[in-house]
Amino acid sequence: QVQLVESGGGLVKPGGSLRLSCAASGFTFSDYYMSWIRQAPGKGLEWVSYISSSGSTIYYADSVKGRFTISRDNAKNSLYLQMNSLRAEDTAVYYCARAVGGLQLDYWGQGTLVTVSS
Amino acid sequence: QSALTQPPSASGSPGQSVTISCTGTSSDVGGYNYVSWYQQHPGKAPKLMIYEVSKRPSGVPDRFSGSKSGNTASLTVSGLQAEDEADYYCSSYAGSNNLNVFGTGTKVTVL
């Protein structure tokens, strides 16, 4: 069965960095686009970034462009999100999700909480 | 990209139906048949309920149905059950040069 397990969240000071990981299993990881989506406490869902199956196509939300970097290692069935210059408004649960046609998200991980606070 | 517009709340008694709207533009909802709906219970990850406007993934009850007219998509939950009480989000493809966009979310309450 498809499983996505995020890790790497935690408490970080403003201006700090964090790297999130998402371990995928139960499907051919290299065949699928993957996405990061976040949800601030009590708020709605927000697209952060997506990456094509080969890693050649990447898009970011304007809110994270220049600060976050998405990447993947198809040999390790893993997705990553490097987050630099973190701000209080980046505080959220970060989900990784598998994307199918039209970037619809058919499987989600359980999420990892990132808290940016001094 | 602006968020798609959903009503903040909707409610119905057990056995009744509730319909949630999701309004976008011709650049997203109106332009593509890639509208999806997600159910999220408190503290849980979202779950795909509807994809490509009206298709249900395996395991999703047929009480859930989707449709679209112009720039507005809709999710209908028929025969409401207690476990349907959750937040629902729509999302739409917005073209190859854009990220997709989510709706503002609707809290469904089963009275």
mmCIF file of all heavy atoms in Angstrom, chain B residues 32-82:
data_model
loop_
_atom_site.group_PDB
_atom_site.id
_atom_site.type_symbol
_atom_site.label_atom_id
_atom_site.label_comp_id
_atom_site.label_asym_id
_atom_site.label_seq_id
_atom_site.Cartn_x
_atom_site.Cartn_y
_atom_site.Cartn_z
ATOM 1 N N TYR B 32 -10.245 23.872 -16.866
ATOM 2 C CA TYR B 32 -9.738 22.496 -16.844
ATOM 3 C C TYR B 32 -10.711 21.578 -16.102
ATOM 4 O O TYR B 32 -11.410 22.014 -15.192
ATOM 5 C CB TYR B 32 -8.376 22.435 -16.128
ATOM 6 C CG TYR B 32 -7.350 23.385 -16.682
ATOM 7 C CD1 TYR B 32 -7.165 24.646 -16.111
ATOM 8 C CD2 TYR B 32 -6.555 23.026 -17.777
ATOM 9 C CE1 TYR B 32 -6.218 25.522 -16.613
ATOM 10 C CE2 TYR B 32 -5.611 23.905 -18.275
ATOM 11 C CZ TYR B 32 -5.451 25.147 -17.695
ATOM 12 O OH TYR B 32 -4.524 26.018 -18.193
ATOM 13 N N ASN B 33 -10.696 20.322 -16.447
ATOM 14 C CA ASN B 33 -11.498 19.325 -15.718
ATOM 15 C C ASN B 33 -10.643 18.600 -14.687
ATOM 16 O O ASN B 33 -10.726 17.380 -14.519
ATOM 17 C CB ASN B 33 -12.137 18.335 -16.690
ATOM 18 C CG ASN B 33 -13.295 18.954 -17.443
ATOM 19 O OD1 ASN B 33 -14.041 19.772 -16.893
ATOM 20 N ND2 ASN B 33 -13.448 18.595 -18.709
ATOM 21 N N TYR B 34 -9.797 19.383 -14.005
ATOM 22 C CA TYR B 34 -8.954 18.838 -12.944
ATOM 23 C C TYR B 34 -9.319 19.503 -11.624
ATOM 24 O O TYR B 34 -8.489 20.119 -10.955
ATOM 25 C CB TYR B 34 -7.483 19.065 -13.251
ATOM 26 C CG TYR B 34 -6.940 18.171 -14.342
ATOM 27 C CD1 TYR B 34 -6.318 18.705 -15.467
ATOM 28 C CD2 TYR B 34 -7.044 16.777 -14.243
ATOM 29 C CE1 TYR B 34 -5.805 17.882 -16.453
ATOM 30 C CE2 TYR B 34 -6.530 15.944 -15.235
ATOM 31 C CZ TYR B 34 -5.912 16.511 -16.328
ATOM 32 O OH TYR B 34 -5.412 15.702 -17.308
ATOM 33 N N VAL B 35 -10.575 19.359 -11.246
ATOM 34 C CA VAL B 35 -11.024 19.834 -9.941
ATOM 35 C C VAL B 35 -11.082 18.641 -8.998
ATOM 36 O O VAL B 35 -11.627 17.589 -9.338
ATOM 37 C CB VAL B 35 -12.409 20.498 -10.019
ATOM 38 C CG1 VAL B 35 -12.896 20.886 -8.621
ATOM 39 C CG2 VAL B 35 -12.361 21.725 -10.931
ATOM 40 N N SER B 36 -10.512 18.795 -7.837
ATOM 41 C CA SER B 36 -10.505 17.724 -6.842
ATOM 42 C C SER B 36 -11.038 18.254 -5.513
ATOM 43 O O SER B 36 -11.047 19.465 -5.269
ATOM 44 C CB SER B 36 -9.095 17.143 -6.666
ATOM 45 O OG SER B 36 -8.139 18.167 -6.494
ATOM 46 N N TRP B 37 -11.517 17.336 -4.700
ATOM 47 C CA TRP B 37 -12.059 17.667 -3.384
ATOM 48 C C TRP B 37 -11.393 16.798 -2.330
ATOM 49 O O TRP B 37 -11.182 15.598 -2.545
ATOM 50 C CB TRP B 37 -13.566 17.425 -3.353
ATOM 51 C CG TRP B 37 -14.350 18.412 -4.160
ATOM 52 C CD1 TRP B 37 -14.694 18.307 -5.481
ATOM 53 C CD2 TRP B 37 -14.915 19.645 -3.701
ATOM 54 N NE1 TRP B 37 -15.424 19.408 -5.873
ATOM 55 C CE2 TRP B 37 -15.578 20.228 -4.792
ATOM 56 C CE3 TRP B 37 -14.937 20.302 -2.466
ATOM 57 C CZ2 TRP B 37 -16.250 21.454 -4.690
ATOM 58 C CZ3 TRP B 37 -15.598 21.509 -2.357
ATOM 59 C CH2 TRP B 37 -16.242 22.075 -3.477
ATOM 60 N N TYR B 38 -11.086 17.419 -1.180
ATOM 61 C CA TYR B 38 -10.395 16.741 -0.096
ATOM 62 C C TYR B 38 -11.188 16.900 1.204
ATOM 63 O O TYR B 38 -11.705 17.985 1.483
ATOM 64 C CB TYR B 38 -8.982 17.313 0.079
ATOM 65 C CG TYR B 38 -8.180 17.231 -1.189
ATOM 66 C CD1 TYR B 38 -8.211 18.263 -2.117
ATOM 67 C CD2 TYR B 38 -7.427 16.100 -1.495
ATOM 68 C CE1 TYR B 38 -7.521 18.177 -3.305
ATOM 69 C CE2 TYR B 38 -6.722 16.005 -2.683
ATOM 70 C CZ TYR B 38 -6.784 17.045 -3.586
ATOM 71 O OH TYR B 38 -6.105 16.949 -4.771
ATOM 72 N N GLN B 39 -11.250 15.819 1.953
ATOM 73 C CA GLN B 39 -11.890 15.806 3.264
ATOM 74 C C GLN B 39 -10.797 15.780 4.317
ATOM 75 O O GLN B 39 -9.837 15.010 4.202
ATOM 76 C CB GLN B 39 -12.765 14.552 3.399
ATOM 77 C CG GLN B 39 -13.441 14.372 4.736
ATOM 78 C CD GLN B 39 -14.037 12.969 4.870
ATOM 79 O OE1 GLN B 39 -13.329 11.959 4.860
ATOM 80 N NE2 GLN B 39 -15.350 12.901 4.973
ATOM 81 N N GLN B 40 -10.955 16.604 5.343
ATOM 82 C CA GLN B 40 -9.962 16.621 6.416
ATOM 83 C C GLN B 40 -10.656 16.628 7.773
ATOM 84 O O GLN B 40 -11.362 17.572 8.111
ATOM 85 C CB GLN B 40 -9.035 17.832 6.301
ATOM 86 C CG GLN B 40 -7.891 17.800 7.307
ATOM 87 C CD GLN B 40 -6.975 18.994 7.193
ATOM 88 O OE1 GLN B 40 -7.397 20.101 6.876
ATOM 89 N NE2 GLN B 40 -5.681 18.762 7.459
ATOM 90 N N HIS B 41 -10.434 15.572 8.527
ATOM 91 C CA HIS B 41 -10.902 15.528 9.909
ATOM 92 C C HIS B 41 -9.858 16.193 10.800
ATOM 93 O O HIS B 41 -8.672 16.241 10.453
ATOM 94 C CB HIS B 41 -11.148 14.086 10.347
ATOM 95 C CG HIS B 41 -12.352 13.461 9.710
ATOM 96 N ND1 HIS B 41 -12.274 12.472 8.745
ATOM 97 C CD2 HIS B 41 -13.678 13.710 9.890
ATOM 98 C CE1 HIS B 41 -13.508 12.126 8.381
ATOM 99 N NE2 HIS B 41 -14.369 12.861 9.049
ATOM 100 N N PRO B 42 -10.288 16.701 11.957
ATOM 101 C CA PRO B 42 -9.355 17.423 12.846
ATOM 102 C C PRO B 42 -8.115 16.601 13.181
ATOM 103 O O PRO B 42 -8.221 15.430 13.573
ATOM 104 C CB PRO B 42 -10.209 17.694 14.088
ATOM 105 C CG PRO B 42 -11.604 17.721 13.586
ATOM 106 C CD PRO B 42 -11.660 16.704 12.484
ATOM 107 N N GLY B 43 -6.973 17.220 12.997
ATOM 108 C CA GLY B 43 -5.712 16.570 13.340
ATOM 109 C C GLY B 43 -5.259 15.502 12.366
ATOM 110 O O GLY B 43 -4.249 14.827 12.621
ATOM 111 N N LYS B 44 -5.973 15.357 11.267
ATOM 112 C CA LYS B 44 -5.644 14.320 10.292
ATOM 113 C C LYS B 44 -5.204 14.938 8.968
ATOM 114 O O LYS B 44 -5.449 16.113 8.701
ATOM 115 C CB LYS B 44 -6.851 13.411 10.042
ATOM 116 C CG LYS B 44 -7.350 12.699 11.286
ATOM 117 C CD LYS B 44 -6.343 11.693 11.806
ATOM 118 C CE LYS B 44 -6.908 10.872 12.942
ATOM 119 N NZ LYS B 44 -5.908 9.915 13.482
ATOM 120 N N ALA B 45 -4.570 14.115 8.136
ATOM 121 C CA ALA B 45 -4.193 14.558 6.797
ATOM 122 C C ALA B 45 -5.423 14.599 5.895
ATOM 123 O O ALA B 45 -6.381 13.844 6.094
ATOM 124 C CB ALA B 45 -3.149 13.620 6.220
ATOM 125 N N PRO B 46 -5.419 15.470 4.908
ATOM 126 C CA PRO B 46 -6.513 15.480 3.930
ATOM 127 C C PRO B 46 -6.586 14.150 3.184
ATOM 128 O O PRO B 46 -5.591 13.448 3.031
ATOM 129 C CB PRO B 46 -6.119 16.626 2.988
ATOM 130 C CG PRO B 46 -5.239 17.507 3.805
ATOM 131 C CD PRO B 46 -4.463 16.567 4.681
ATOM 132 N N LYS B 47 -7.795 13.853 2.710
ATOM 133 C CA LYS B 47 -8.051 12.636 1.955
ATOM 134 C C LYS B 47 -8.773 13.004 0.670
ATOM 135 O O LYS B 47 -9.739 13.771 0.685
ATOM 136 C CB LYS B 47 -8.924 11.674 2.773
ATOM 137 C CG LYS B 47 -9.367 10.433 2.024
ATOM 138 C CD LYS B 47 -10.356 9.624 2.846
ATOM 139 C CE LYS B 47 -10.901 8.431 2.062
ATOM 140 N NZ LYS B 47 -11.922 7.677 2.831
ATOM 141 N N LEU B 48 -8.305 12.461 -0.441
ATOM 142 C CA LEU B 48 -8.934 12.724 -1.727
ATOM 143 C C LEU B 48 -10.301 12.064 -1.782
ATOM 144 O O LEU B 48 -10.422 10.859 -1.588
ATOM 145 C CB LEU B 48 -8.042 12.206 -2.864
ATOM 146 C CG LEU B 48 -8.576 12.374 -4.289
ATOM 147 C CD1 LEU B 48 -8.648 13.851 -4.665
ATOM 148 C CD2 LEU B 48 -7.695 11.613 -5.277
ATOM 149 N N MET B 49 -11.331 12.859 -2.107
ATOM 150 C CA MET B 49 -12.700 12.340 -2.181
ATOM 151 C C MET B 49 -13.231 12.339 -3.612
ATOM 152 O O MET B 49 -14.014 11.461 -3.982
ATOM 153 C CB MET B 49 -13.627 13.173 -1.298
ATOM 154 C CG MET B 49 -13.201 13.255 0.156
ATOM 155 S SD MET B 49 -13.084 11.635 0.938
ATOM 156 C CE MET B 49 -14.811 11.272 1.193
ATOM 157 N N ILE B 50 -12.850 13.343 -4.380
ATOM 158 C CA ILE B 50 -13.303 13.482 -5.763
ATOM 159 C C ILE B 50 -12.126 13.985 -6.591
ATOM 160 O O ILE B 50 -11.379 14.859 -6.140
ATOM 161 C CB ILE B 50 -14.463 14.482 -5.895
ATOM 162 C CG1 ILE B 50 -15.721 13.980 -5.168
ATOM 163 C CG2 ILE B 50 -14.760 14.794 -7.361
ATOM 164 C CD1 ILE B 50 -16.439 12.829 -5.856
ATOM 165 N N TYR B 51 -11.950 13.424 -7.786
ATOM 166 C CA TYR B 51 -10.938 13.941 -8.700
ATOM 167 C C TYR B 51 -11.534 14.079 -10.100
ATOM 168 O O TYR B 51 -12.579 13.499 -10.382
ATOM 169 C CB TYR B 51 -9.687 13.048 -8.703
ATOM 170 C CG TYR B 51 -9.897 11.670 -9.301
ATOM 171 C CD1 TYR B 51 -9.496 11.384 -10.603
ATOM 172 C CD2 TYR B 51 -10.477 10.646 -8.562
ATOM 173 C CE1 TYR B 51 -9.673 10.133 -11.154
ATOM 174 C CE2 TYR B 51 -10.668 9.385 -9.105
ATOM 175 C CZ TYR B 51 -10.257 9.124 -10.400
ATOM 176 O OH TYR B 51 -10.448 7.889 -10.945
ATOM 177 N N GLU B 52 -10.880 14.871 -10.915
ATOM 178 C CA GLU B 52 -11.374 15.147 -12.265
ATOM 179 C C GLU B 52 -12.864 15.482 -12.250
ATOM 180 O O GLU B 52 -13.661 14.920 -12.991
ATOM 181 C CB GLU B 52 -11.066 13.971 -13.205
ATOM 182 C CG GLU B 52 -9.579 13.844 -13.467
ATOM 183 C CD GLU B 52 -9.213 12.666 -14.370
ATOM 184 O OE1 GLU B 52 -10.118 12.125 -15.027
ATOM 185 O OE2 GLU B 52 -8.025 12.304 -14.406
ATOM 186 N N VAL B 53 -13.213 16.400 -11.406
ATOM 187 C CA VAL B 53 -14.555 16.993 -11.236
ATOM 188 C C VAL B 53 -15.555 16.055 -10.567
ATOM 189 O O VAL B 53 -16.256 16.458 -9.642
ATOM 190 C CB VAL B 53 -15.132 17.479 -12.590
ATOM 191 C CG1 VAL B 53 -16.554 18.017 -12.404
ATOM 192 C CG2 VAL B 53 -14.235 18.535 -13.218
ATOM 193 N N SER B 54 -15.624 14.794 -11.058
ATOM 194 C CA SER B 54 -16.746 13.954 -10.618
ATOM 195 C C SER B 54 -16.388 12.497 -10.368
ATOM 196 O O SER B 54 -17.277 11.684 -10.138
ATOM 197 C CB SER B 54 -17.867 14.022 -11.660
ATOM 198 O OG SER B 54 -17.397 13.556 -12.912
ATOM 199 N N LYS B 55 -15.112 12.143 -10.436
ATOM 200 C CA LYS B 55 -14.717 10.750 -10.253
ATOM 201 C C LYS B 55 -14.384 10.473 -8.792
ATOM 202 O O LYS B 55 -13.784 11.307 -8.117
ATOM 203 C CB LYS B 55 -13.520 10.420 -11.150
ATOM 204 C CG LYS B 55 -13.808 10.568 -12.625
ATOM 205 C CD LYS B 55 -12.579 10.274 -13.468
ATOM 206 C CE LYS B 55 -12.901 10.431 -14.960
ATOM 207 N NZ LYS B 55 -11.707 10.197 -15.806
ATOM 208 N N ARG B 56 -14.758 9.294 -8.336
ATOM 209 C CA ARG B 56 -14.484 8.893 -6.953
ATOM 210 C C ARG B 56 -13.366 7.871 -6.906
ATOM 211 O O ARG B 56 -13.414 6.859 -7.625
ATOM 212 C CB ARG B 56 -15.730 8.268 -6.304
ATOM 213 C CG ARG B 56 -16.749 9.221 -5.775
ATOM 214 C CD ARG B 56 -17.831 8.459 -5.015
ATOM 215 N NE ARG B 56 -18.337 7.325 -5.783
ATOM 216 C CZ ARG B 56 -19.264 7.402 -6.710
ATOM 217 N NH1 ARG B 56 -19.807 8.582 -6.983
ATOM 218 N NH2 ARG B 56 -19.670 6.322 -7.360
ATOM 219 N N PRO B 57 -12.363 8.089 -6.042
ATOM 220 C CA PRO B 57 -11.341 7.043 -5.850
ATOM 221 C C PRO B 57 -11.978 5.802 -5.241
ATOM 222 O O PRO B 57 -13.039 5.869 -4.595
ATOM 223 C CB PRO B 57 -10.355 7.689 -4.865
ATOM 224 C CG PRO B 57 -10.626 9.147 -4.940
ATOM 225 C CD PRO B 57 -12.073 9.288 -5.263
ATOM 226 N N SER B 58 -11.303 4.702 -5.427
ATOM 227 C CA SER B 58 -11.776 3.468 -4.826
ATOM 228 C C SER B 58 -11.912 3.628 -3.313
ATOM 229 O O SER B 58 -11.025 4.183 -2.660
ATOM 230 C CB SER B 58 -10.778 2.340 -5.143
ATOM 231 O OG SER B 58 -11.096 1.165 -4.462
ATOM 232 N N GLY B 59 -13.026 3.174 -2.770
ATOM 233 C CA GLY B 59 -13.236 3.240 -1.332
ATOM 234 C C GLY B 59 -14.032 4.436 -0.852
ATOM 235 O O GLY B 59 -14.484 4.453 0.305
ATOM 236 N N VAL B 60 -14.206 5.421 -1.706
ATOM 237 C CA VAL B 60 -15.010 6.587 -1.324
ATOM 238 C C VAL B 60 -16.483 6.270 -1.594
ATOM 239 O O VAL B 60 -16.838 5.873 -2.706
ATOM 240 C CB VAL B 60 -14.579 7.843 -2.105
ATOM 241 C CG1 VAL B 60 -15.546 9.003 -1.857
ATOM 242 C CG2 VAL B 60 -13.160 8.245 -1.714
ATOM 243 N N PRO B 61 -17.345 6.462 -0.599
ATOM 244 C CA PRO B 61 -18.764 6.116 -0.786
ATOM 245 C C PRO B 61 -19.411 6.911 -1.922
ATOM 246 O O PRO B 61 -19.042 8.068 -2.167
ATOM 247 C CB PRO B 61 -19.389 6.495 0.565
ATOM 248 C CG PRO B 61 -18.270 6.518 1.535
ATOM 249 C CD PRO B 61 -17.061 6.945 0.771
ATOM 250 N N ASP B 62 -20.391 6.276 -2.576
ATOM 251 C CA ASP B 62 -21.053 6.977 -3.681
ATOM 252 C C ASP B 62 -22.004 8.063 -3.191
ATOM 253 O O ASP B 62 -22.685 8.709 -3.987
ATOM 254 C CB ASP B 62 -21.769 5.985 -4.596
ATOM 255 C CG ASP B 62 -22.828 5.166 -3.884
ATOM 256 O OD1 ASP B 62 -23.105 5.448 -2.698
ATOM 257 O OD2 ASP B 62 -23.377 4.236 -4.507
ATOM 258 N N ARG B 63 -22.047 8.278 -1.885
ATOM 259 C CA ARG B 63 -22.788 9.425 -1.331
ATOM 260 C C ARG B 63 -22.108 10.744 -1.706
ATOM 261 O O ARG B 63 -22.722 11.813 -1.634
ATOM 262 C CB ARG B 63 -22.870 9.328 0.193
ATOM 263 C CG ARG B 63 -23.506 8.039 0.687
ATOM 264 C CD ARG B 63 -23.652 8.018 2.201
ATOM 265 N NE ARG B 63 -22.401 7.930 2.925
ATOM 266 C CZ ARG B 63 -21.820 8.939 3.534
ATOM 267 N NH1 ARG B 63 -22.377 10.154 3.493
ATOM 268 N NH2 ARG B 63 -20.688 8.781 4.194
ATOM 269 N N PHE B 64 -20.846 10.654 -2.078
ATOM 270 C CA PHE B 64 -20.078 11.831 -2.462
ATOM 271 C C PHE B 64 -20.089 11.955 -3.990
ATOM 272 O O PHE B 64 -19.751 11.013 -4.697
ATOM 273 C CB PHE B 64 -18.632 11.729 -1.963
ATOM 274 C CG PHE B 64 -18.511 11.820 -0.471
ATOM 275 C CD1 PHE B 64 -18.681 10.700 0.328
ATOM 276 C CD2 PHE B 64 -18.239 13.036 0.142
ATOM 277 C CE1 PHE B 64 -18.582 10.787 1.712
ATOM 278 C CE2 PHE B 64 -18.135 13.137 1.516
ATOM 279 C CZ PHE B 64 -18.302 12.006 2.306
ATOM 280 N N SER B 65 -20.478 13.146 -4.469
ATOM 281 C CA SER B 65 -20.505 13.362 -5.902
ATOM 282 C C SER B 65 -20.035 14.779 -6.220
ATOM 283 O O SER B 65 -20.169 15.692 -5.401
ATOM 284 C CB SER B 65 -21.912 13.131 -6.474
ATOM 285 O OG SER B 65 -22.831 14.035 -5.898
ATOM 286 N N GLY B 66 -19.471 14.950 -7.403
ATOM 287 C CA GLY B 66 -18.964 16.243 -7.813
ATOM 288 C C GLY B 66 -19.493 16.641 -9.174
ATOM 289 O O GLY B 66 -19.855 15.789 -9.986
ATOM 290 N N SER B 67 -19.521 17.951 -9.409
ATOM 291 C CA SER B 67 -19.962 18.474 -10.688
ATOM 292 C C SER B 67 -19.312 19.835 -10.913
ATOM 293 O O SER B 67 -18.648 20.382 -10.022
ATOM 294 C CB SER B 67 -21.487 18.606 -10.725
ATOM 295 O OG SER B 67 -21.924 19.529 -9.731
ATOM 296 N N LYS B 68 -19.513 20.348 -12.124
ATOM 297 C CA LYS B 68 -18.955 21.665 -12.444
ATOM 298 C C LYS B 68 -19.832 22.345 -13.475
ATOM 299 O O LYS B 68 -20.330 21.702 -14.406
ATOM 300 C CB LYS B 68 -17.529 21.519 -13.004
ATOM 301 C CG LYS B 68 -16.782 22.835 -13.184
ATOM 302 C CD LYS B 68 -15.414 22.621 -13.813
ATOM 303 C CE LYS B 68 -15.503 22.547 -15.329
ATOM 304 N NZ LYS B 68 -14.169 22.666 -15.978
ATOM 305 N N SER B 69 -19.980 23.646 -13.311
ATOM 306 C CA SER B 69 -20.674 24.454 -14.295
ATOM 307 C C SER B 69 -19.934 25.786 -14.412
ATOM 308 O O SER B 69 -19.856 26.538 -13.437
ATOM 309 C CB SER B 69 -22.133 24.699 -13.882
ATOM 310 O OG SER B 69 -22.784 25.548 -14.808
ATOM 311 N N GLY B 70 -19.383 26.029 -15.575
ATOM 312 C CA GLY B 70 -18.615 27.249 -15.756
ATOM 313 C C GLY B 70 -17.431 27.317 -14.817
ATOM 314 O O GLY B 70 -16.630 26.382 -14.742
ATOM 315 N N ASN B 71 -17.338 28.392 -14.058
ATOM 316 C CA ASN B 71 -16.213 28.587 -13.145
ATOM 317 C C ASN B 71 -16.486 28.088 -11.729
ATOM 318 O O ASN B 71 -15.699 28.367 -10.810
ATOM 319 C CB ASN B 71 -15.852 30.077 -13.086
ATOM 320 C CG ASN B 71 -15.357 30.613 -14.415
ATOM 321 O OD1 ASN B 71 -14.887 29.856 -15.262
ATOM 322 N ND2 ASN B 71 -15.480 31.907 -14.615
ATOM 323 N N THR B 72 -17.595 27.389 -11.549
ATOM 324 C CA THR B 72 -17.960 26.904 -10.218
ATOM 325 C C THR B 72 -18.106 25.384 -10.195
ATOM 326 O O THR B 72 -18.832 24.806 -10.999
ATOM 327 C CB THR B 72 -19.278 27.544 -9.747
ATOM 328 O OG1 THR B 72 -19.107 28.964 -9.648
ATOM 329 C CG2 THR B 72 -19.681 27.003 -8.378
ATOM 330 N N ALA B 73 -17.383 24.776 -9.263
ATOM 331 C CA ALA B 73 -17.506 23.346 -9.025
ATOM 332 C C ALA B 73 -18.297 23.128 -7.744
ATOM 333 O O ALA B 73 -18.393 24.024 -6.895
ATOM 334 C CB ALA B 73 -16.124 22.713 -8.892
ATOM 335 N N SER B 74 -18.870 21.949 -7.614
ATOM 336 C CA SER B 74 -19.676 21.634 -6.432
ATOM 337 C C SER B 74 -19.419 20.224 -5.949
ATOM 338 O O SER B 74 -19.183 19.316 -6.755
ATOM 339 C CB SER B 74 -21.167 21.796 -6.744
ATOM 340 O OG SER B 74 -21.479 23.120 -7.109
ATOM 341 N N LEU B 75 -19.477 20.065 -4.642
ATOM 342 C CA LEU B 75 -19.419 18.748 -4.004
ATOM 343 C C LEU B 75 -20.734 18.549 -3.267
ATOM 344 O O LEU B 75 -21.148 19.413 -2.491
ATOM 345 C CB LEU B 75 -18.260 18.686 -3.005
ATOM 346 C CG LEU B 75 -18.197 17.413 -2.149
ATOM 347 C CD1 LEU B 75 -17.754 16.222 -2.999
ATOM 348 C CD2 LEU B 75 -17.248 17.597 -0.962
ATOM 349 N N THR B 76 -21.384 17.429 -3.525
ATOM 350 C CA THR B 76 -22.616 17.097 -2.823
ATOM 351 C C THR B 76 -22.401 15.847 -1.990
ATOM 352 O O THR B 76 -21.865 14.849 -2.489
ATOM 353 C CB THR B 76 -23.776 16.872 -3.804
ATOM 354 O OG1 THR B 76 -24.033 18.090 -4.510
ATOM 355 C CG2 THR B 76 -25.040 16.458 -3.056
ATOM 356 N N VAL B 77 -22.781 15.926 -0.736
ATOM 357 C CA VAL B 77 -22.764 14.765 0.143
ATOM 358 C C VAL B 77 -24.218 14.419 0.429
ATOM 359 O O VAL B 77 -24.945 15.209 1.045
ATOM 360 C CB VAL B 77 -22.011 15.043 1.454
ATOM 361 C CG1 VAL B 77 -21.897 13.758 2.266
ATOM 362 C CG2 VAL B 77 -20.629 15.626 1.171
ATOM 363 N N SER B 78 -24.637 13.264 -0.055
ATOM 364 C CA SER B 78 -26.019 12.817 0.145
ATOM 365 C C SER B 78 -26.077 11.846 1.318
ATOM 366 O O SER B 78 -25.077 11.203 1.647
ATOM 367 C CB SER B 78 -26.519 12.121 -1.120
ATOM 368 O OG SER B 78 -26.377 12.947 -2.244
ATOM 369 N N GLY B 79 -27.234 11.749 1.931
ATOM 370 C CA GLY B 79 -27.375 10.813 3.042
ATOM 371 C C GLY B 79 -26.332 11.067 4.125
ATOM 372 O O GLY B 79 -25.616 10.148 4.530
ATOM 373 N N LEU B 80 -26.263 12.304 4.580
ATOM 374 C CA LEU B 80 -25.239 12.705 5.547
ATOM 375 C C LEU B 80 -25.130 11.737 6.716
ATOM 376 O O LEU B 80 -26.143 11.286 7.274
ATOM 377 C CB LEU B 80 -25.553 14.095 6.095
ATOM 378 C CG LEU B 80 -24.961 15.306 5.383
ATOM 379 C CD1 LEU B 80 -25.513 16.579 5.990
ATOM 380 C CD2 LEU B 80 -23.448 15.279 5.425
ATOM 381 N N GLN B 81 -23.892 11.448 7.084
ATOM 382 C CA GLN B 81 -23.622 10.618 8.249
ATOM 383 C C GLN B 81 -22.706 11.378 9.201
ATOM 384 O O GLN B 81 -21.993 12.301 8.787
ATOM 385 C CB GLN B 81 -22.983 9.295 7.819
ATOM 386 C CG GLN B 81 -23.871 8.462 6.905
ATOM 387 C CD GLN B 81 -23.253 7.115 6.566
ATOM 388 O OE1 GLN B 81 -22.188 6.747 7.070
ATOM 389 N NE2 GLN B 81 -23.924 6.375 5.692
ATOM 390 N N ALA B 82 -22.695 10.970 10.441
ATOM 391 C CA ALA B 82 -21.903 11.671 11.453
ATOM 392 C C ALA B 82 -20.430 11.780 11.055
ATOM 393 O O ALA B 82 -19.789 12.807 11.282
ATOM 394 C CB ALA B 82 -22.037 10.965 12.793
#
